[in-house]
């Protein structure tokens, strides 16, 4: 069954109610602009028989974008899509020679007809979308950014609000029900652009580490109560750009590591107890783009993750080098903060294609060492303990009508189910792991 993503789909936005009239106007402008994104200042220019999108017009930002930086990030993504209006479902079609609205045909791994369940994935790792779960009335999910589970398997989401909803942290029970706002941090936690979220156990207490794009770093209890917070420059080189994205929080050390993915592309070391910067940094902007860029340099070092798997050498942190389409593996020393040495790279362009944008990676030793990778380009990948992709759930295709377009974070739950948070616009989805067919189990 084929479907066209049109303007009406943009009004199907649930709890995150955006102005339908504004979206309709933006999509009307795109239609008149041969599918080019007028929002980001692209104009259709005749080139032979083609209409190509050139960045020659004046941007017309939507009101729900809370900052110039957010619009810049979105428009940089649009630029990678040939200037086509992604929000309105346009995609470059080489055969036609211009942006066309996407018409998608379900892949063999997708079982969807009419009112049938939405199912994606392959082999032993097939998942069914559960739309009734992870509901949160009153939440304004402008962008959904970070996910974690605590020791009791409760699910947490950090998100960017619209300025009217003053919250940014939600907790659900392990089964995705009974959502509640975690309000301990108030506006001090939620102002700006809440982004990366990590949970760690220190002694007998669990803490959350928050990276806010608006130059704010915070350690809180699970209800959001602030333990420490750094606002603005924390002592690093003030001439470098600074928009932090994610912390890595290894469990066996007194130190934590910050990825400045939207700023300097550096990794910074901090004292976990106090939030003090330890005047140690690594990385920097890659001199060239691509998976073969010099190791230890980055092009959007978006995520930082401690790797607890026995199949990975001890004391490893993995950096999601998003615009270089790869994961970079580093050794750290738990006894000191002076070591961050590259030793391995996993290139994601092979299994995921040249346009892959891996946002993050979460590893689960208790689930045979599998990991989950949200890809900003649209899919979510499941990898085995050798970092080989074994299943792909095409979230942006399966949930196109609901505008789950850009997976930004994803986690596995203890029962094997997965949760996906998406960006531009903000959505969250629960996916139930399906039983393995007998013939697949014998493979």
């Amino acid at each position: 069954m084929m479907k066209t993503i049109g303007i009406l789909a943009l009004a199907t936005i649930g709890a995150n109610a955006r102005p339908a009239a504004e979206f309709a106007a933006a999509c009307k402008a795109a239609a008149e602009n041969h599918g080019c994104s007028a929002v980001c200042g692209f104009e259709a220019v005749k080139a032979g028989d083609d209409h190509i999108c050139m960045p020659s017009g004046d941007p017309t930002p939507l009101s729900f974008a809370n900052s110039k930086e957010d619009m810049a990030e979105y428009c940089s993504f649009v630029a990678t899509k040939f200037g086509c209006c992604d929000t309105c479902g346009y995609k470059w079609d080489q055969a036609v020679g211009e942006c066309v609205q996407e018409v998608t045909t379900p892949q063999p791994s997708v079982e969807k007809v009419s009112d049938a369940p939405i199912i994606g994935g392959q082999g032993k790792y097939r998942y069914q979308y559960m739309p009734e779960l992870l509901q949160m009335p009153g939440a304004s999910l402008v962008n959904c950014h970070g996910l974690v589970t605590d020791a009791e398997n409760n699910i947490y989401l950090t998100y960017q609000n619209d300025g009217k909803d003053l919250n940014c942290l939600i907790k659900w029970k392990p089964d995705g029900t009974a959502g509640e706002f975690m309000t301990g941090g108030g506006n001090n936690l939620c102002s700006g652009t809440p982004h990366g979220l990590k949970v760690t156990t220190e002694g007998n207490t669990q803490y959350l580490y928050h990276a806010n794009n608006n130059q704010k770093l915070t350690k809180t209890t699970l209800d959001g109560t602030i333990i420490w917070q750094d606002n603005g420059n924390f002592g690093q080189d003030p001439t470098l750009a600074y928009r932090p994205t994610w912390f890595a929080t290894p469990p066996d050390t007194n130190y934590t590591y910050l990825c400045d993915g939207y700023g300097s592309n550096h990794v910074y070391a901090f004292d976990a107890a106090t939030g003090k910067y330890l005047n140690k940094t690594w990385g920097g902007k890659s001199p060239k783009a691509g998976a073969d860029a010099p190791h230890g340099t980055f092009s959007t070092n978006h995520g930082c993750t401690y790797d607890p798997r026995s199949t990975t050498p001890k004391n490893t942190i993995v950096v999601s080098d998003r615009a270089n389409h790869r994961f970079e593996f580093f050794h750290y020393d738990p006894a000191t903060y002076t070591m961050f040495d590259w030793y391995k790279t996993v290139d994601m362009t092979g299994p995921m294609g040249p346009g892959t944008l891996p946002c993050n990676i979460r590893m689960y030793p208790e689930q045979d060492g599998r990991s989950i990778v949200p890809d900003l380009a649209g899919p979510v990948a499941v990898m085995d303990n050798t970092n080989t992709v074994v299943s792909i759930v095409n979230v942006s295709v399966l949930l196109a009508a609901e505008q789950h377009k850009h997976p930004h974070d994803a986690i596995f739950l203890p029962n094997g189910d997965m949760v996906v948070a998406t960006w531009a616009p903000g959505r969250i989805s629960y996916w139930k792991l399906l039983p393995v067919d007998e013939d697949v189990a014998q493979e």
Side-chain angles (χ1 to χ4, degrees):
M1 175 176 156
M2 303 179 73
K3 59 183 179 181
T4 302
I5 311 306
I7 292 174
L8 290 178
L10 297 170
T12 311
I13 49 185
N16 183 36
R18 311 288 182 90
E22 186 179 17
F23 268 118
C27 293
K28 182 175 183 293
E32 295 170 349
N33 197 27
H34 293 273
C36 297
S37 176
V39 167
C40 292
F42 286 89
E43 289 184 337
V45 176
K46 184 74 171 175
D49 293 330
D50 297 345
H51 285 91
I52 62 175
C53 302
M54 296 294 292
S56 54
D58 294 324
T60 54
L62 298 175
S63 64
F64 64 79
N66 284 13
S67 69
K68 292 180 179 179
E69 290 83 2
D70 295 326
M71 278 302 301
E73 182 185 356
Y74 175 72
C75 290
S76 67
F77 181 85
V78 168
T80 70
K81 302 300 180 182
F82 301 93
C84 298
C85 186
D86 171 84
T87 302
C88 299
Y90 284 91
K91 184 178 181 180
W92 177 256
D93 189 315
Q94 185 65 40
V96 177
E98 64 179 72
C99 302
V100 298
Q101 279 193 304
E102 293 179 282
V103 178
T104 59
T105 302
Q107 301 299 313
S109 62
V110 177
E111 301 172 6
K112 186 179 183 212
V113 293
S114 187
D115 296 325
I118 297 175
I119 296 173
Q122 300 82 32
K124 298 178 181 179
Y125 307 107
R126 298 168 64 248
Y127 302 85
Q128 179 179 330
Y129 172 52
M130 309 297 288
E132 72 279 6
L133 299 179
L134 299 175
Q135 298 297 309
M136 191 62 211
S140 166
L141 306 180
V142 171
N143 286 303
C144 292
H145 280 145
L147 291 163
V148 297
T149 55
D150 65 16
E152 296 180 351
N153 302 323
N154 296 302
I155 302 164
Y156 294 76
L157 168 73
T158 189
Y159 67 96
Q160 179 185 4
N161 63 43
D162 64 355
K164 297 177 182 178
D165 164 21
L166 299 181
N167 297 288
C168 65
L169 186 63
I170 303 171
K171 180 180 82 171
W172 289 273
K173 289 183 178 180
D175 62 358
T177 64
E180 58 179 316
F181 292 116
M182 299 288 97
T183 59
N187 191 60
N188 287 335
L189 176 65
C190 294
S191 62
T193 307
H195 192 268
L197 189 67
K198 284 291 174 67
V199 64
T200 189
T201 301
E202 298 172 11
N204 296 318
T205 305
Q206 287 204 296
Y207 298 97
L208 297 173
Y209 284 79
H210 309 252
N212 188 305
N213 294 161
N214 288 44
Q215 301 187 348
K216 182 162 59 177
L217 310 174
T218 313
K219 178 180 179 179
T220 74
T221 59
L222 294 180
D223 71 353
T225 299
I226 294 173
I227 305 299
W228 55 252
Q229 187 172 80
D230 287 327
N231 285 280
N233 187 285
F234 50 76
Q236 81 277 33
D237 183 347
T239 66
L240 296 176
Y242 173 44
R243 286 191 73 206
T245 47
W246 234 290
F247 275 106
T249 57
D252 56 353
T253 180
N254 295 323
Y255 311 110
T256 186
Y257 300 84
L258 175 71
C259 277
D260 185 22
Y262 295 158
S264 66
N265 282 283
H266 281 259
V267 176
Y268 297 102
F270 289 81
D271 183 288
T274 65
K276 179 183 177 182
Y277 172 51
L278 298 172
N279 201 33
K280 193 65 179 176
T281 181
W282 302 268
K285 180 69 175 176
S286 295
K288 58 174 288 187
D292 61 345
H295 300 301
T297 67
F298 310 109
S299 184
T300 312
N301 58 332
H302 188 261
C304 285
T305 306
Y306 164 72
D307 191 339
R309 297 174 293 182
S310 61
T311 51
T312 301
K314 288 186 64 177
N315 306 326
T316 289
I317 289 174
V318 182
V319 174
S320 305
D321 191 10
R322 192 170 76 184
N324 281 334
H325 323 297
R326 66 187 185 180
F327 293 110
E328 294 269 275
F329 287 64
F330 296 85
H331 282 304
Y332 71 94
D333 182 352
T336 180
Y337 56 85
T338 59
M339 177 181 177
F340 202 79
D341 294 344
W342 172 87
Y343 73 88
K344 176 182 175 181
T345 294
V346 173
D347 180 354
M348 295 299 290
T349 60
M352 303 300 288
T356 184
L357 295 168
C359 278
N360 206 351
I361 183 171
R362 304 298 184 100
M363 308 83 160
Y364 297 84
E366 68 279 9
Q367 297 187 36
D368 299 322
R370 285 187 294 280
S371 61
I372 188 167
V373 177
D375 186 327
L376 201 69
V380 173
V382 178
M383 299 201 298
D384 66 15
N385 60 20
T386 68
N387 302 308
T388 300
V389 174
V390 294
S391 182
I392 298 174
V393 180
N394 288 307
V395 171
S396 65
V397 174
L398 293 168
L399 301 183
E402 293 80 16
Q403 292 286 289
H404 294 242
K405 298 184 72 66
H406 305 300
H408 191 272
D409 202 8
I411 56 174
F412 286 137
L413 304 180
N415 60 4
D417 296 351
M418 72 177 187
V419 176
V420 180
T422 66
W423 166 84
R427 301 287 187 268
I428 184 168
S429 55
Y430 189 110
W431 297 80
K432 180 181 178 180
L433 178 64
L434 296 176
V436 179
D437 293 339
E438 184 175 346
D439 56 341
V440 174
Q442 292 175 352
E443 291 180 356

